Amino acid sequence: MVDTDSGATTYVLGFEQIDRGRIALVGGKGANLGELSRIEGTRVPAGFCVTTDAYRRVVADALEDRLDQLSHPNIENLAALAADARRIIEAIPIPDEVAVAIAGRLDANTAYAVRSSATAEDLPTASFAGQQDTFLNIIGPEAVLEHVRLCWASLFTERAVAYRVRNGFDHRKVHMAVVVQRMVFPEVSGILFTADPLSGNRGIASIDAGFGLGEAMVSGLVNTDVYKVRDDTLIEKTIATKHLALHAAPEGGTREHTLAPELRRQPALTDERAIRLAHLGRRVEAHFGAPQDIEWCLTGDEFRIVQSRPITALFPVPPTDDADNHIYLSVGHQQMMTDPMKPLGLSIWQLTTPRPMAEAGGRLFVDATDRLASATGRAQFLEFSGKTDPLMRDALLSVLERGDFDLTPPEREPGELLPGRDADPIDTDPAIVADLIARTRTSLAVLDRDIREKYGPELFDFILADFRELRRLMSDPRSHQAILAGTDATWWLNEQMRTWLGEPNAADILSQSAPDNITSEMGLDLLDVADAVRPHPHVVEFLRGADNDTFLDELPELPGGREASAAIRCYLDKYGMRCVGEIDITRPRWSEHPTALLPALLTNIDNFPPGESRRRFERGLNEAAKKEDELLQRLRSLPDGAAKAEQTKAMIDRLRTFVGYREFPKYGIVSRYFVYKKALLAEADRQVEAGVLRDREDIHYLRLQEFHDVARTGKVDNRLIRAREEAFRAYQTLTPPRVLTSDGETFSGSYRRENLPADALAGLPVSTGTVEGRARVVGDLTEADLAPGDILVTAYTDPSWSPVFVTLGGLVTEVGGLLTHGAVIAREYGLPAVVGVADATRLIRDGQRIRVNGTDGYVEILP
């Protein structure tokens, strides 16, 4: 059946008729083969595609009743539902017009490869590799038709259904095309990655090669040789012992073949051929514009390409306008927000932070190249990195010490790493902190008042102007000095008490119940809310079943509901701008999603007596005062003890004056963001009412300037919004590295420590003490089912987790540093804590008993 541009039904298309714009008709694999056949110097075995029109003609209607069930399967019935769908497809006869269109392209005595090509397969954002079936060496039209039907059925294998459900693909929108390709009988075949799949390095091509058909290595049946090529040089070669090869069988299909002993250690490729293949891969990569996973085979001395797909597991590289080497540091690891951000959130954070930030994979990165290339800046930068996050420092050293990643020295030395460091020290005066807090609150009140009447383009002009005020507050030298005073006091006390007294992590206890810590106050204040709600049993019972964010409107109808509602609303007035991942303005705030607070509130109601907030704060004060007295007494007994004690007393006073303030600037930022957000959503509602936007949350996928243009022109690019939604889903599957290079290499760092207990999980000690208890592995704060004494194990915590800290016995996180929020609040509450424990949520099972050593920095899983 001839393809036309009229929209007529088309059952078969030759590769010469296909390009990447035809994914909906020929699937990802078919579209890529059509593109490959257009690349000069690339040989692709001849073939055609059975289109999705054929699939819809034969299959779609027969499955109509099954697709709703498949969209919401549970673990128990997923396999049965998928098997039922496959049986239906395998029993459907292929209509004559479809069979004739396929058979008309076949030679009766020619062998073919019949490959599935789903419309959600081999895409830039989701590869779906291995989810559907491939059949090799199929001979005769009847056999080809039968295997086309089996390919259709493989759209509903259990693994394919589960993959689509997990990645949010609608079964009704995914259709199956089938590639039918002349069979190639290679001596050698394999897979070429145009970027190293282990390190991510885009400059290194990695080749897996073995004898016979490549499906043997895809399925894991055989060992393969590995060749790594950089430019024109083979930089690494590993020759495997190869016992088996897969070859075509004379009667059709394939069979395993035992290799002769003399072939088992013979290289599958010569060095020259490996380099030539890598160059061919670069040509394919350049055509597609992204690193590729390429299936190839060798017949005689000629390489043939049988498939190419994007390598979706690679973390993207920030774009640059030069060819120099760059080293990027993850902002998310510093901000305790390693999840991807949506475009509106990315753009606002970039516009309001003082340092330029690169963007990749929905995350932000700081380009640290100039500092690391600077003779004077490198040592200072590494020292600071090591104090805050040893893994970051180790990751940087892994790049710098290797010697093959040259950095161009900057034209001029970078400025001061920490603003305010060179200024005269500020006095230890609580009035300084009080004044800084008052300035931020006053500025917020002015913003909240002045933004209310702004809308349309004027709103965006107003917000952009207010960004200058936000940056002024963030860069206030006095604010930086106050933060540095608390940080320096922490480091001084820890170092000197270890040197003078052998006392580790002394500042952890000395900083308990320090004043002006807005984040620790947030957890204690929720205990006070529990005190207000607890006396009203009807309210408590209602809250246990509340699953709608309108529950506050219903509370006044219950006995005691007005009092409870007032207490919760008062809490939200003070803290309602907070949420998980709060640096992304698009994340729902507690004021927008108050049910997020209910698990922590109900835990407080169930497990603590009235007045717990005051008792906890006073206990922290007493512990800090007791530790201070103990240290000073011990110091006075030392040589020159009076002077040492005097110095230490002054530094303790300085610590307690300033250490709490470190949490306030971020509180000011997210408070300001929430004011912006409410105004922007109101503008989005106006655009929805005007018929410009489809949904108010579409603005999450527009950068701020793009939303500004929508308000100015009354026009929006809905295709752009949908594409960014899809990209965001793909970004959610990626794990960002601590350190990323412009070559695409990723580095996570490791602890270079000895004398840990056997099988202990190493981490960074951030809050002293040792505790044993039940591990609760939690991914979502709203699902945290915690009892007093439990040890929270999670990927990261930000200030929004603080309300649950009052329940915990200890803390373990995968991400974090000495000065990140989880560490600060753990010290404030006196909780033993270890952060930066690689893969903690995978290695520790929910419910296991563990021991957390927050003094030496490790976690033990107990029998």
Side-chain angles (χ1 to χ4, degrees), residues 34-46:
E35 289 287 337
L36 284 166
S37 67
R38 288 170 159 74
I39 303 174
E40 184 178 353
T42 302
R43 297 291 303 274
V44 177

Side-chain angles (χ1 to χ4, degrees), residues 100-408:
V100 168
I102 297 171
R105 294 274 185 154
L106 301 172
D107 294 331
N109 297 317
T110 298
Y112 292 91
V114 183
R115 305 172 184 270
S116 304
S117 180
T119 54
E121 182 178 13
D122 294 350
L123 303 178
T125 57
S127 75
F128 280 73
Q131 297 303 313
Q132 284 84 45
D133 288 342
T134 287
F135 304 96
L136 300 179
N137 197 29
I138 307 303
I139 302 171
E142 288 188 7
V144 170
L145 289 171
E146 177 60 26
H147 285 85
V148 166
R149 184 161 42 204
L150 291 175
C151 284
W152 289 337
S154 74
L155 189 62
F156 294 95
T157 61
E158 182 179 354
R159 66 182 183 272
V161 171
Y163 189 96
R164 289 196 296 274
V165 170
R166 186 168 61 250
N167 288 277
F169 283 83
D170 185 345
H171 297 301
R172 296 178 187 278
K173 295 180 180 178
V174 179
H175 301 119
M176 179 67 81
V178 180
V179 171
V180 181
Q181 206 170 8
R182 284 183 179 268
M183 188 69 192
V184 177
F185 304 100
E187 294 87 30
V188 179
S189 58
I191 300 170
L192 161 64
F193 299 96
T194 63
D196 189 333
L198 297 180
S199 70
N201 193 320
R202 270 55 164 188
I204 297 175
S206 180
I207 301 167
D208 288 4
F211 296 117
L213 294 166
E215 272 63 24
M217 67 186 67
V218 172
S219 59
L221 288 175
V222 299
N223 297 323
T224 59
D225 299 343
V226 178
Y227 304 80
K228 296 198 175 183
V229 179
R230 187 200 299 272
D231 299 325
D232 295 324
T233 304
L234 183 68
I235 61 172
E236 185 178 326
K237 178 170 63 175
T238 304
I239 306 303
T241 301
K242 301 174 282 294
H243 294 282
L244 297 174
L246 194 68
H247 290 289
E251 69 277 10
T254 61
R255 65 171 56 163
E256 293 179 17
H257 173 70
T258 301
L259 290 175
E262 64 272 17
L263 291 178
R264 293 176 184 177
R265 291 290 299 171
Q266 180 177 315
L269 290 175
T270 65
D271 294 358
E272 180 275 331
R273 282 175 172 167
I275 294 169
R276 181 153 52 94
L277 177 59
H279 288 174
L280 178 59
R282 292 295 176 212
R283 197 176 305 144
V284 174
E285 179 185 65
H287 179 85
F288 285 104
Q292 296 290 298
D293 166 358
I294 300 169
E295 296 178 28
W296 57 271
C297 55
L298 179 69
T299 56
D301 193 42
E302 183 177 77
F303 286 107
R304 300 197 182 191
I305 306 299
V306 295
Q307 186 49 251
S308 185
R309 62 176 66 87
I311 310 176
T312 58
L314 292 176
F315 199 87
V317 178
T320 62
D321 55 4
D322 59 48
D324 295 337
N325 289 331
H326 293 263
I327 299 178
Y328 302 97
L329 307 186
S330 166
V331 173
H333 284 78
Q334 300 163 53
Q335 291 294 332
M336 296 297 95
M337 168 55 176
T338 54
D339 297 339
M341 297 170 66
K342 294 175 182 173
L344 183 64
L346 287 167
S347 65
I348 289 180
W349 188 257
Q350 287 171 306
L351 287 167
T352 54
T353 51
R355 289 200 66 178
M357 291 186 180
E359 186 179 327
R363 279 83 168 183
L364 294 172
F365 292 84
V366 172
D367 189 341
T369 309
D370 282 355
R371 293 195 179 278
L372 293 169
S374 161
T376 58
R378 175 183 292 192
Q380 183 189 46
F381 191 82
L382 289 173
E383 179 186 11
F384 179 77
S385 298
K387 284 184 174 180
T388 56
D389 183 353
L391 289 179
M392 186 77 78
R393 181 178 185 274
D394 187 76
L396 289 170
L397 286 173
S398 297
V399 183
L400 298 171
E401 291 177 347
R402 203 173 56 190
D404 62 351
F405 194 80
D406 297 327
L407 299 178
T408 303

Side-chain angles (χ1 to χ4, degrees), residues 515-531:
D516 301 313
N517 189 321
I518 190 71
T519 307
S520 63
E521 290 171 5
M522 183 166 63
L524 298 176
D525 285 353
L526 196 64
L527 286 168
D528 292 334
V529 177
D531 288 351

Side-chain angles (χ1 to χ4, degrees), residues 369-698:
T369 309
D370 282 355
R371 293 195 179 278
L372 293 169
S374 161
T376 58
R378 175 183 292 192
Q380 183 189 46
F381 191 82
L382 289 173
E383 179 186 11
F384 179 77
S385 298
K387 284 184 174 180
T388 56
D389 183 353
L391 289 179
M392 186 77 78
R393 181 178 185 274
D394 187 76
L396 289 170
L397 286 173
S398 297
V399 183
L400 298 171
E401 291 177 347
R402 203 173 56 190
D404 62 351
F405 194 80
D406 297 327
L407 299 178
T408 303
E411 294 182 2
R412 62 172 182 266
E413 289 296 305
E416 179 63 36
L417 177 62
L418 299 172
R421 174 68 76 192
D422 291 339
D424 293 334
I426 56 176
D427 295 333
T428 302
D429 182 359
I432 294 173
V433 173
D435 180 62
L436 288 168
I437 291 173
R439 290 186 200 179
T440 296
R441 293 195 185 280
T442 299
S443 180
L444 279 167
V446 172
L447 168 65
D448 191 49
R449 180 197 67 202
D450 292 349
I451 203 172
R452 293 181 184 180
E453 302 303 318
K454 302 295 189 296
Y455 60 89
E458 184 185 4
L459 169 66
F460 295 89
D461 293 338
F462 176 85
I463 289 175
L464 289 170
D466 192 74
F467 285 169
R468 291 193 290 272
E469 169 67 2
L470 174 54
R471 287 193 294 269
R472 183 189 68 78
L473 291 167
M474 292 171 64
S475 60
D476 183 345
R478 203 151 180 81
S479 178
H480 283 290
Q481 284 181 291
I483 293 171
L484 285 171
T487 301
D488 288 345
T490 298
W491 289 340
W492 189 93
L493 286 164
N494 283 339
E495 290 172 5
Q496 294 305 122
M497 294 308 98
R498 183 182 293 275
T499 300
W500 289 341
L501 298 174
E503 178 84 24
N505 309 325
D508 292 1
I509 297 175
L510 293 169
S511 61
Q512 287 184 26
S513 296
D516 301 313
N517 189 321
I518 190 71
T519 307
S520 63
E521 290 171 5
M522 183 166 63
L524 298 176
D525 285 353
L526 196 64
L527 286 168
D528 292 334
V529 177
D531 288 351
V533 174
R534 192 182 293 106
H536 308 295
H538 290 91
V539 171
V540 174
E541 191 60 30
F542 171 78
L543 293 179
R544 292 193 197 283
D547 57 2
N548 191 302
D549 287 326
T550 62
F551 73 89
L552 284 170
D553 297 331
E554 302 173 52
L555 274 183
E557 305 301 320
L558 301 171
R562 290 187 181 278
E563 295 87 342
S565 177
I568 296 172
R569 289 184 186 277
C570 182
Y571 186 86
L572 291 174
D573 286 345
K574 188 174 182 180
Y575 303 111
M577 77 296 294
R578 311 221 81 150
C579 67
V580 174
E582 61 193 8
I583 67 171
D584 182 354
I585 198 174
T586 71
R587 291 291 191 101
R589 312 283 138 172
W590 288 344
S591 288
E592 300 169 305
H593 183 42
T595 53
L597 279 174
L598 291 182
L601 175 59
L602 289 167
T603 296
N604 290 349
I605 291 170
D606 292 341
N607 293 289
F608 299 113
E612 181 67 13
S613 171
R614 173 50 52 189
R615 279 191 297 275
R616 281 178 174 262
F617 187 76
E618 290 177 351
R619 184 163 63 241
L621 284 176
N622 291 335
E623 290 289 331
K626 181 180 175 182
K627 175 57 70 174
E628 178 180 333
D629 288 344
E630 174 205 327
L631 294 174
L632 295 179
Q633 286 182 25
R634 291 168 63 191
L635 286 168
R636 291 187 184 104
S637 67
L638 299 176
D640 199 23
K644 289 182 171 69
E646 184 179 358
Q647 280 182 284
T648 301
K649 171 60 177 169
M651 203 58 72
I652 292 172
D653 291 345
R654 195 163 181 81
L655 171 77
R656 294 193 60 79
T657 297
F658 293 112
V659 74
Y661 174 72
R662 186 183 182 280
E663 294 291 298
F664 194 83
K666 188 172 184 181
Y667 174 82
I669 293 170
V670 297
S671 296
R672 214 167 193 92
Y673 274 17
F674 192 38
V675 177
Y676 299 151
K677 181 178 186 180
K678 288 184 287 187
L680 291 170
L681 286 174
E683 179 62 25
D685 289 337
R686 284 189 284 269
Q687 297 298 331
V688 170
E689 187 176 350
V692 177
L693 291 174
R694 299 179 185 179
D695 184 272
R696 72 191 318 233
E697 293 193 359
D698 279 356

